[in-house]
Each structure stands twice: as C-alpha cells, then as structure tokens.
Amino acid sequence: MLGGALLPCSVAPLTGFYRDGCCNTGPEDLGLHVVCVELTAEFLAFSKGRGNDLSTPMPEYGFPGLRPGDRWCLCAARWEEARRSGRAPRVLLEATHIAALEICGLDDLKAHAVEV
C-alpha cells in the first residue's frame, strides 16, 4: 500500500485469503480480503451483528475464532462499513494490499493506522 513490499499480517492466527499470513489477493478473492487490521471487541461485535461471526471457533474449517488484539485480513468493504459506523479497527498499512484503495480512501486508512 505504501510502495514497499507487502508485510505479513498474521501467522497466529493464520490469515489471508490464501492463508499465507499476508493480505494478498487474486481473482478468486471476491471479498477482497486486503485490509490488515488489529481486531477490537467492538469491531468483532459489529461484524457478528452484520452476520459475519469472526469470534466463534469453527474447528471443522480450521478456524480458531478471533479475539481482540488478533491481526486479520479483513474484507475492504466490511472495513469501510465499520468506518462509516464509527467502529473500524486499526489498520496496519504496511501489511494492507494496495487493492484496498478500490473501496477505502487512503486518508481514511491512514487515519486508522497503527504501527506494525
């Protein structure tokens, strides 16, 4: 996003559309999972209320359930929706893919930036 190499977002829990720890994207990633965030309890509750429960483990899919403080590659549209509702989690810009700019404004992402 900032012109350098895309840094990893998280390997514990393992994130990314391709589960490679990075917010990489490709033609298969219809949800555009490209915004690396640091999750908060407020955002997890917001997402659950929108029908995307990220906190409940689903072992049958190898999904551990997420907790506040975890880093995760979030769909750009969900991040933007949360931002407009005042509940956007902090963003790790160096680990966020430039494709996020298709949906999110750079100034908005920068306003929510946290150090890697």
mmCIF file with all atom_site columns, all heavy atoms in Angstrom, residues 1-2 79 90-91 93 101 105-114:
data_model
loop_
_atom_site.group_PDB
_atom_site.id
_atom_site.type_symbol
_atom_site.label_atom_id
_atom_site.label_alt_id
_atom_site.label_comp_id
_atom_site.label_asym_id
_atom_site.label_entity_id
_atom_site.label_seq_id
_atom_site.pdbx_PDB_ins_code
_atom_site.Cartn_x
_atom_site.Cartn_y
_atom_site.Cartn_z
_atom_site.occupancy
_atom_site.B_iso_or_equiv
_atom_site.pdbx_formal_charge
_atom_site.auth_seq_id
_atom_site.auth_comp_id
_atom_site.auth_asym_id
_atom_site.auth_atom_id
_atom_site.pdbx_PDB_model_num
ATOM 1   N N   . MET A 1 1   ? 0.816   -1.192 0.000  1.00 0.00 ? 1   MET A N   1
ATOM 2   C CA  . MET A 1 1   ? 0.000   0.000  0.000  1.00 0.00 ? 1   MET A CA  1
ATOM 3   C C   . MET A 1 1   ? 0.856   1.250  0.000  1.00 0.00 ? 1   MET A C   1
ATOM 4   O O   . MET A 1 1   ? 0.514   2.209  -0.643 1.00 0.00 ? 1   MET A O   1
ATOM 5   C CB  . MET A 1 1   ? -0.914  -0.021 1.218  1.00 0.00 ? 1   MET A CB  1
ATOM 6   C CG  . MET A 1 1   ? -1.311  1.328  1.675  1.00 0.00 ? 1   MET A CG  1
ATOM 7   S SD  . MET A 1 1   ? -2.986  1.610  2.105  1.00 0.00 ? 1   MET A SD  1
ATOM 8   C CE  . MET A 1 1   ? -3.922  0.639  1.060  1.00 0.00 ? 1   MET A CE  1
ATOM 9   N N   . LEU A 1 2   ? 1.970   1.194  0.698  1.00 0.00 ? 2   LEU A N   1
ATOM 10  C CA  . LEU A 1 2   ? 2.814   2.378  0.808  1.00 0.00 ? 2   LEU A CA  1
ATOM 11  C C   . LEU A 1 2   ? 3.987   2.361  -0.163 1.00 0.00 ? 2   LEU A C   1
ATOM 12  O O   . LEU A 1 2   ? 4.907   3.144  -0.038 1.00 0.00 ? 2   LEU A O   1
ATOM 13  C CB  . LEU A 1 2   ? 3.315   2.516  2.252  1.00 0.00 ? 2   LEU A CB  1
ATOM 14  C CG  . LEU A 1 2   ? 2.221   2.694  3.301  1.00 0.00 ? 2   LEU A CG  1
ATOM 15  C CD1 . LEU A 1 2   ? 2.815   2.759  4.688  1.00 0.00 ? 2   LEU A CD1 1
ATOM 16  C CD2 . LEU A 1 2   ? 1.377   3.923  3.025  1.00 0.00 ? 2   LEU A CD2 1
ATOM 17  N N   . TRP A 1 79  ? -14.513 -3.297 6.263  1.00 0.00 ? 79  TRP A N   1
ATOM 18  C CA  . TRP A 1 79  ? -13.778 -2.261 6.980  1.00 0.00 ? 79  TRP A CA  1
ATOM 19  C C   . TRP A 1 79  ? -14.419 -0.901 6.710  1.00 0.00 ? 79  TRP A C   1
ATOM 20  O O   . TRP A 1 79  ? -14.637 -0.114 7.623  1.00 0.00 ? 79  TRP A O   1
ATOM 21  C CB  . TRP A 1 79  ? -12.296 -2.237 6.594  1.00 0.00 ? 79  TRP A CB  1
ATOM 22  C CG  . TRP A 1 79  ? -11.549 -1.255 7.439  1.00 0.00 ? 79  TRP A CG  1
ATOM 23  C CD1 . TRP A 1 79  ? -11.008 -1.495 8.672  1.00 0.00 ? 79  TRP A CD1 1
ATOM 24  C CD2 . TRP A 1 79  ? -11.324 0.127  7.159  1.00 0.00 ? 79  TRP A CD2 1
ATOM 25  N NE1 . TRP A 1 79  ? -10.448 -0.336 9.169  1.00 0.00 ? 79  TRP A NE1 1
ATOM 26  C CE2 . TRP A 1 79  ? -10.631 0.679  8.252  1.00 0.00 ? 79  TRP A CE2 1
ATOM 27  C CE3 . TRP A 1 79  ? -11.638 0.953  6.084  1.00 0.00 ? 79  TRP A CE3 1
ATOM 28  C CZ2 . TRP A 1 79  ? -10.247 2.017  8.308  1.00 0.00 ? 79  TRP A CZ2 1
ATOM 29  C CZ3 . TRP A 1 79  ? -11.264 2.297  6.137  1.00 0.00 ? 79  TRP A CZ3 1
ATOM 30  C CH2 . TRP A 1 79  ? -10.573 2.815  7.241  1.00 0.00 ? 79  TRP A CH2 1
ATOM 31  N N   . ARG A 1 90  ? -8.161  -0.636 13.888 1.00 0.00 ? 90  ARG A N   1
ATOM 32  C CA  . ARG A 1 90  ? -6.918  -0.010 13.429 1.00 0.00 ? 90  ARG A CA  1
ATOM 33  C C   . ARG A 1 90  ? -6.338  -0.813 12.261 1.00 0.00 ? 90  ARG A C   1
ATOM 34  O O   . ARG A 1 90  ? -6.536  -2.018 12.168 1.00 0.00 ? 90  ARG A O   1
ATOM 35  C CB  . ARG A 1 90  ? -5.904  0.063  14.566 1.00 0.00 ? 90  ARG A CB  1
ATOM 36  C CG  . ARG A 1 90  ? -6.429  0.752  15.829 1.00 0.00 ? 90  ARG A CG  1
ATOM 37  C CD  . ARG A 1 90  ? -6.625  2.200  15.696 1.00 0.00 ? 90  ARG A CD  1
ATOM 38  N NE  . ARG A 1 90  ? -5.312  2.838  15.582 1.00 0.00 ? 90  ARG A NE  1
ATOM 39  C CZ  . ARG A 1 90  ? -5.137  4.132  15.551 1.00 0.00 ? 90  ARG A CZ  1
ATOM 40  N NH1 . ARG A 1 90  ? -6.158  4.938  15.632 1.00 0.00 ? 90  ARG A NH1 1
ATOM 41  N NH2 . ARG A 1 90  ? -3.941  4.644  15.437 1.00 0.00 ? 90  ARG A NH2 1
ATOM 42  N N   . VAL A 1 91  ? -5.606  -0.136 11.383 1.00 0.00 ? 91  VAL A N   1
ATOM 43  C CA  . VAL A 1 91  ? -5.067  -0.719 10.158 1.00 0.00 ? 91  VAL A CA  1
ATOM 44  C C   . VAL A 1 91  ? -3.545  -0.736 10.193 1.00 0.00 ? 91  VAL A C   1
ATOM 45  O O   . VAL A 1 91  ? -2.925  0.250  10.595 1.00 0.00 ? 91  VAL A O   1
ATOM 46  C CB  . VAL A 1 91  ? -5.536  0.103  8.937  1.00 0.00 ? 91  VAL A CB  1
ATOM 47  C CG1 . VAL A 1 91  ? -4.918  -0.413 7.654  1.00 0.00 ? 91  VAL A CG1 1
ATOM 48  C CG2 . VAL A 1 91  ? -7.055  0.102  8.842  1.00 0.00 ? 91  VAL A CG2 1
ATOM 49  N N   . LEU A 1 93  ? -0.889  -0.442 7.775  1.00 0.00 ? 93  LEU A N   1
ATOM 50  C CA  . LEU A 1 93  ? -0.771  -0.026 6.381  1.00 0.00 ? 93  LEU A CA  1
ATOM 51  C C   . LEU A 1 93  ? 0.245   -0.853 5.603  1.00 0.00 ? 93  LEU A C   1
ATOM 52  O O   . LEU A 1 93  ? 0.001   -1.223 4.456  1.00 0.00 ? 93  LEU A O   1
ATOM 53  C CB  . LEU A 1 93  ? -0.405  1.458  6.296  1.00 0.00 ? 93  LEU A CB  1
ATOM 54  C CG  . LEU A 1 93  ? -1.467  2.436  6.781  1.00 0.00 ? 93  LEU A CG  1
ATOM 55  C CD1 . LEU A 1 93  ? -0.916  3.858  6.745  1.00 0.00 ? 93  LEU A CD1 1
ATOM 56  C CD2 . LEU A 1 93  ? -2.730  2.332  5.951  1.00 0.00 ? 93  LEU A CD2 1
ATOM 57  N N   . LEU A 1 101 ? -7.545  0.256  -1.874 1.00 0.00 ? 101 LEU A N   1
ATOM 58  C CA  . LEU A 1 101 ? -7.914  1.596  -2.348 1.00 0.00 ? 101 LEU A CA  1
ATOM 59  C C   . LEU A 1 101 ? -9.045  1.566  -3.363 1.00 0.00 ? 101 LEU A C   1
ATOM 60  O O   . LEU A 1 101 ? -9.609  2.606  -3.683 1.00 0.00 ? 101 LEU A O   1
ATOM 61  C CB  . LEU A 1 101 ? -6.684  2.298  -2.937 1.00 0.00 ? 101 LEU A CB  1
ATOM 62  C CG  . LEU A 1 101 ? -5.564  2.555  -1.932 1.00 0.00 ? 101 LEU A CG  1
ATOM 63  C CD1 . LEU A 1 101 ? -4.386  3.218  -2.618 1.00 0.00 ? 101 LEU A CD1 1
ATOM 64  C CD2 . LEU A 1 101 ? -6.050  3.376  -0.750 1.00 0.00 ? 101 LEU A CD2 1
ATOM 65  N N   . GLY A 1 105 ? -10.721 4.817  1.236  1.00 0.00 ? 105 GLY A N   1
ATOM 66  C CA  . GLY A 1 105 ? -9.912  6.004  0.963  1.00 0.00 ? 105 GLY A CA  1
ATOM 67  C C   . GLY A 1 105 ? -8.579  5.951  1.697  1.00 0.00 ? 105 GLY A C   1
ATOM 68  O O   . GLY A 1 105 ? -8.514  5.524  2.857  1.00 0.00 ? 105 GLY A O   1
ATOM 69  N N   . LEU A 1 106 ? -7.529  6.381  1.039  1.00 0.00 ? 106 LEU A N   1
ATOM 70  C CA  . LEU A 1 106 ? -6.200  6.372  1.647  1.00 0.00 ? 106 LEU A CA  1
ATOM 71  C C   . LEU A 1 106 ? -6.169  7.216  2.920  1.00 0.00 ? 106 LEU A C   1
ATOM 72  O O   . LEU A 1 106 ? -5.607  6.794  3.934  1.00 0.00 ? 106 LEU A O   1
ATOM 73  C CB  . LEU A 1 106 ? -5.143  6.863  0.650  1.00 0.00 ? 106 LEU A CB  1
ATOM 74  C CG  . LEU A 1 106 ? -3.699  6.885  1.158  1.00 0.00 ? 106 LEU A CG  1
ATOM 75  C CD1 . LEU A 1 106 ? -3.252  5.506  1.629  1.00 0.00 ? 106 LEU A CD1 1
ATOM 76  C CD2 . LEU A 1 106 ? -2.771  7.422  0.077  1.00 0.00 ? 106 LEU A CD2 1
ATOM 77  N N   . ASP A 1 107 ? -6.775  8.374  2.896  1.00 0.00 ? 107 ASP A N   1
ATOM 78  C CA  . ASP A 1 107 ? -6.784  9.227  4.085  1.00 0.00 ? 107 ASP A CA  1
ATOM 79  C C   . ASP A 1 107 ? -7.515  8.547  5.245  1.00 0.00 ? 107 ASP A C   1
ATOM 80  O O   . ASP A 1 107 ? -7.097  8.665  6.399  1.00 0.00 ? 107 ASP A O   1
ATOM 81  C CB  . ASP A 1 107 ? -7.417  10.582 3.786  1.00 0.00 ? 107 ASP A CB  1
ATOM 82  C CG  . ASP A 1 107 ? -6.523  11.457 2.912  1.00 0.00 ? 107 ASP A CG  1
ATOM 83  O OD1 . ASP A 1 107 ? -5.299  11.202 2.839  1.00 0.00 ? 107 ASP A OD1 1
ATOM 84  O OD2 . ASP A 1 107 ? -7.062  12.394 2.295  1.00 0.00 ? 107 ASP A OD2 1
ATOM 85  N N   . ASP A 1 108 ? -8.585  7.821  4.944  1.00 0.00 ? 108 ASP A N   1
ATOM 86  C CA  . ASP A 1 108 ? -9.319  7.105  5.991  1.00 0.00 ? 108 ASP A CA  1
ATOM 87  C C   . ASP A 1 108 ? -8.463  5.989  6.578  1.00 0.00 ? 108 ASP A C   1
ATOM 88  O O   . ASP A 1 108 ? -8.413  5.796  7.796  1.00 0.00 ? 108 ASP A O   1
ATOM 89  C CB  . ASP A 1 108 ? -10.623 6.515  5.433  1.00 0.00 ? 108 ASP A CB  1
ATOM 90  C CG  . ASP A 1 108 ? -11.602 7.585  5.017  1.00 0.00 ? 108 ASP A CG  1
ATOM 91  O OD1 . ASP A 1 108 ? -11.639 8.662  5.658  1.00 0.00 ? 108 ASP A OD1 1
ATOM 92  O OD2 . ASP A 1 108 ? -12.339 7.345  4.049  1.00 0.00 ? 108 ASP A OD2 1
ATOM 93  N N   . LEU A 1 109 ? -7.782  5.243  5.709  1.00 0.00 ? 109 LEU A N   1
ATOM 94  C CA  . LEU A 1 109 ? -6.897  4.166  6.192  1.00 0.00 ? 109 LEU A CA  1
ATOM 95  C C   . LEU A 1 109 ? -5.774  4.747  7.032  1.00 0.00 ? 109 LEU A C   1
ATOM 96  O O   . LEU A 1 109 ? -5.472  4.229  8.115  1.00 0.00 ? 109 LEU A O   1
ATOM 97  C CB  . LEU A 1 109 ? -6.336  3.384  5.007  1.00 0.00 ? 109 LEU A CB  1
ATOM 98  C CG  . LEU A 1 109 ? -7.363  2.536  4.239  1.00 0.00 ? 109 LEU A CG  1
ATOM 99  C CD1 . LEU A 1 109 ? -6.789  2.097  2.903  1.00 0.00 ? 109 LEU A CD1 1
ATOM 100 C CD2 . LEU A 1 109 ? -7.793  1.330  5.065  1.00 0.00 ? 109 LEU A CD2 1
ATOM 101 N N   . LYS A 1 110 ? -5.182  5.830  6.580  1.00 0.00 ? 110 LYS A N   1
ATOM 102 C CA  . LYS A 1 110 ? -4.099  6.461  7.339  1.00 0.00 ? 110 LYS A CA  1
ATOM 103 C C   . LYS A 1 110 ? -4.584  6.972  8.694  1.00 0.00 ? 110 LYS A C   1
ATOM 104 O O   . LYS A 1 110 ? -3.863  6.911  9.689  1.00 0.00 ? 110 LYS A O   1
ATOM 105 C CB  . LYS A 1 110 ? -3.481  7.599  6.535  1.00 0.00 ? 110 LYS A CB  1
ATOM 106 C CG  . LYS A 1 110 ? -2.566  7.134  5.438  1.00 0.00 ? 110 LYS A CG  1
ATOM 107 C CD  . LYS A 1 110 ? -1.935  8.319  4.710  1.00 0.00 ? 110 LYS A CD  1
ATOM 108 C CE  . LYS A 1 110 ? -0.919  7.870  3.690  1.00 0.00 ? 110 LYS A CE  1
ATOM 109 N NZ  . LYS A 1 110 ? -0.299  9.020  2.994  1.00 0.00 ? 110 LYS A NZ  1
ATOM 110 N N   . ALA A 1 111 ? -5.813  7.476  8.729  1.00 0.00 ? 111 ALA A N   1
ATOM 111 C CA  . ALA A 1 111 ? -6.373  7.989  9.998  1.00 0.00 ? 111 ALA A CA  1
ATOM 112 C C   . ALA A 1 111 ? -6.548  6.874  11.019 1.00 0.00 ? 111 ALA A C   1
ATOM 113 O O   . ALA A 1 111 ? -6.620  7.144  12.219 1.00 0.00 ? 111 ALA A O   1
ATOM 114 C CB  . ALA A 1 111 ? -7.698  8.696  9.734  1.00 0.00 ? 111 ALA A CB  1
ATOM 115 N N   . HIS A 1 112 ? -6.606  5.637  10.559 1.00 0.00 ? 112 HIS A N   1
ATOM 116 C CA  . HIS A 1 112 ? -6.791  4.490  11.455 1.00 0.00 ? 112 HIS A CA  1
ATOM 117 C C   . HIS A 1 112 ? -5.520  3.642  11.567 1.00 0.00 ? 112 HIS A C   1
ATOM 118 O O   . HIS A 1 112 ? -5.554  2.514  12.050 1.00 0.00 ? 112 HIS A O   1
ATOM 119 C CB  . HIS A 1 112 ? -7.938  3.610  10.947 1.00 0.00 ? 112 HIS A CB  1
ATOM 120 C CG  . HIS A 1 112 ? -9.271  4.246  11.125 1.00 0.00 ? 112 HIS A CG  1
ATOM 121 N ND1 . HIS A 1 112 ? -9.771  5.181  10.242 1.00 0.00 ? 112 HIS A ND1 1
ATOM 122 C CD2 . HIS A 1 112 ? -10.209 4.092  12.076 1.00 0.00 ? 112 HIS A CD2 1
ATOM 123 C CE1 . HIS A 1 112 ? -10.960 5.560  10.659 1.00 0.00 ? 112 HIS A CE1 1
ATOM 124 N NE2 . HIS A 1 112 ? -11.248 4.941  11.777 1.00 0.00 ? 112 HIS A NE2 1
ATOM 125 N N   . ALA A 1 113 ? -4.397  4.197  11.122 1.00 0.00 ? 113 ALA A N   1
ATOM 126 C CA  . ALA A 1 113 ? -3.156  3.430  11.079 1.00 0.00 ? 113 ALA A CA  1
ATOM 127 C C   . ALA A 1 113 ? -2.578  3.175  12.459 1.00 0.00 ? 113 ALA A C   1
ATOM 128 O O   . ALA A 1 113 ? -2.683  3.996  13.358 1.00 0.00 ? 113 ALA A O   1
ATOM 129 C CB  . ALA A 1 113 ? -2.128  4.145  10.204 1.00 0.00 ? 113 ALA A CB  1
ATOM 130 N N   . VAL A 1 114 ? -1.955  2.004  12.579 1.00 0.00 ? 114 VAL A N   1
ATOM 131 C CA  . VAL A 1 114 ? -1.222  1.620  13.779 1.00 0.00 ? 114 VAL A CA  1
ATOM 132 C C   . VAL A 1 114 ? 0.125   1.091  13.305 1.00 0.00 ? 114 VAL A C   1
ATOM 133 O O   . VAL A 1 114 ? 0.250   0.608  12.174 1.00 0.00 ? 114 VAL A O   1
ATOM 134 C CB  . VAL A 1 114 ? -2.017  0.548  14.586 1.00 0.00 ? 114 VAL A CB  1
ATOM 135 C CG1 . VAL A 1 114 ? -2.149  -0.732 13.827 1.00 0.00 ? 114 VAL A CG1 1
ATOM 136 C CG2 . VAL A 1 114 ? -1.395  0.307  15.935 1.00 0.00 ? 114 VAL A CG2 1
#
